[in-house]
Amino acid sequence: MDIDVIIPVYRPDKKLFLLLDALNKQTLRPQTIILMNTEKKYFDELVWGTDFPERYPNVEVHHITKEEFDHGGTRRRAVRQSTAPAFVMMTQDAIPADNMLLENLIGGLYKQEKSMIAVAYARQLADDKCGVLETASREFNYPEQSVTKTRRDIDKMGIKTFFCSDVCAAYRREVYDKLGGFVRHTLFNEDMIFASNAIKAGYAVRYQADAKVIHSHNYSNSQQLHRNFDLGVSQNQHPEVFRGISSESEGKKLVAATTRKLINEKKALELPHFYMQCASKYAGYLLGKNYDKLPRKLVKKLTTNPKYFDM
């Protein structure tokens, strides 16, 4: 079937070429790869002197300014450029783990026709350069077993029911349109907001574990604080999704699972660093949940996207 791949891009490096090459070597090759690039000058610097248009004839590049970028709005705008019955959202720092990524992901999306799966997201694997803490986080959030989640799972799974990641996720266009698409203005979590709306409307969200991408980070404690501040802001601004469903319980499970892993693997010396990391995450999250009580100057220092608060 025809599919499109949509990738927001900002200050890309040569890793973008690796991603595009890997996508075009898939067993299910994209009809069109739509790049939503923020700030034209950075993209022009990367492709200057290359044969980019000839090398990637199925790639469309749309430029926006930094002021125009929004997690939900930019992706929503990109989807309007797609004509395929299914599209895949990705990020520029995710690389397919094999040439079956798109085939397996779309297979998960259409696995159960009657259940009308709205979105299927891929498994994220840590790369070889990541430390044990990031590896443990990826293993906790992206296990080996696939699962289909519906509203019947909310009492059992809590916030995890709505978990979805646009690092790599496939959407049915007909369902996407019916549900109104991505939220127009959000700092973070456009994927989980859509997944929540889909589940509450009676659709399902699929985690497809055999669709795999390499995607991980070695964030500092400061970066973790800023990132989780944005997460908290998003939850504050979308009570229709997050009110009454605790995120803290998942955090506690991650702490317990990682602690056991470090002890079992005789890496207990990593525990102080891990607990500092957890403290930074939680502090950022709590500050973000209460951002509307903080001075605007402090909010803009804590967020990763100060311009968002000027919109």
Side-chain angles (χ1 to χ4, degrees):
M1 68 177 297
D2 290 336
I3 64 166
D4 293 335
V5 176
I6 296 170
I7 311 170
V9 176
Y10 178 58
R11 303 189 79 160
D13 56 22
K14 291 183 178 179
K15 190 175 181 179
L16 179 63
F17 299 141
L18 296 177
L19 172 55
L20 296 177
D21 289 339
L23 289 174
N24 280 327
K25 291 176 182 176
Q26 292 288 300
T27 54
L28 178 59
R29 192 171 184 268
Q31 169 184 269
T32 307
I33 301 173
I34 300 166
L35 303 183
M36 295 298 290
N37 176 68
T38 301
E39 300 297 339
K40 184 175 185 294
K41 63 179 181 179
Y42 299 123
F43 193 87
D44 288 346
E45 289 172 1
L46 176 68
V47 303
W48 176 260
T50 70
D51 58 348
F52 189 89
E54 294 77 20
R55 183 174 172 181
Y56 304 110
N58 65 333
V59 173
E60 291 181 7
V61 185
H62 301 268
H63 298 289
I64 61 173
T65 65
K66 195 170 184 179
E67 290 74 17
E68 292 176 294
F69 177 80
D70 179 272
H71 267 264
T74 299
R75 287 173 170 85
R76 184 183 180 92
R77 181 172 169 180
V79 174
R80 292 202 298 267
Q81 310 300 322
S82 172
T83 60
F87 61 89
V88 175
M89 302 302 309
M90 292 191 71
T91 56
Q92 70 188 69
D93 56 351
I95 301 295
D98 53 44
N99 66 357
M100 294 287 291
L101 167 67
L102 296 181
E103 182 175 336
N104 289 339
L105 191 61
I106 296 299
L109 186 65
Y110 290 92
K111 181 177 179 61
Q112 296 168 296
E113 188 65 31
K114 290 183 179 179
S115 71
M116 282 300 286
I117 295 170
V119 53
Y121 64 99
R123 185 182 183 191
Q124 297 181 31
L125 305 174
D127 67 29
D128 294 337
K129 296 179 182 178
C130 273
V132 63
L133 299 184
E134 181 69 2
T135 300
S137 174
R138 286 292 178 267
E139 290 175 353
F140 178 80
N141 287 315
Y142 303 95
E144 294 181 356
Q145 298 79 28
S146 298
V147 64
T148 300
K149 301 176 289 186
T150 71
R151 57 188 172 192
R152 293 190 298 271
D153 297 304
I154 294 175
D155 289 342
K156 177 180 66 176
M157 299 182 68
I159 194 68
K160 201 78 170 182
T161 314
F162 305 146
F163 185 74
C164 180
S165 177
D166 274 344
V167 165
C168 186
Y171 293 78
R172 290 194 195 209
R173 181 61 184 266
E174 61 178 310
V175 179
Y176 172 89
D177 289 340
K178 184 176 181 179
L179 295 177
F182 293 122
V183 61
R184 286 181 172 83
H185 186 50
T186 185
L187 182 61
F188 210 60
N189 273 338
E190 82 291 333
D191 37 24
M192 285 186 67
I193 294 168
F194 179 87
S196 168
N197 291 337
I199 284 175
K200 290 174 181 177
Y203 295 95
V205 171
R206 175 77 177 172
Y207 167 57
Q208 192 65 26
D210 62 356
K212 296 172 285 190
V213 292
I214 308 299
H215 177 260
S216 52
H217 299 282
N218 283 315
Y219 287 133
S220 67
N221 289 340
S222 175
Q223 288 172 318
Q224 295 284 11
L225 186 146
H226 291 301
R227 180 175 174 81
N228 281 269
F229 177 83
D230 290 348
L231 175 65
V233 170
S234 175
Q235 293 199 13
N236 174 296
Q237 292 182 338
H238 293 279
E240 75 281 4
V241 176
F242 300 103
R243 182 187 291 136
I245 299 181
S246 173
S247 296
E248 286 89 336
S249 59
E250 280 301 306
K252 291 175 182 177
K253 291 177 185 176
L254 172 61
V255 171
T258 303
T259 297
R260 286 194 300 270
K261 179 180 176 65
L262 292 175
I263 292 173
N264 291 340
E265 295 184 1
K266 303 187 186 306
K267 296 179 180 178
L269 291 177
E270 293 278 355
L271 285 172
H273 173 55
F274 172 58
Y275 294 144
M276 281 295 297
Q277 186 183 87
C278 293
S280 298
K281 288 181 177 181
Y282 193 52
Y285 171 74
L286 287 180
L287 287 166
K289 287 274 284 187
N290 295 279
Y291 86 98
D292 47 356
K293 302 180 182 68
L294 302 176
R296 178 60 62 89
K297 286 186 178 179
L298 178 58
V299 168
K300 296 181 79 169
K301 287 183 179 179
L302 289 169
T303 182
T304 62
N305 184 7
K307 292 185 180 297
Y308 173 85
F309 295 92
D310 295 330
M311 296 179 184

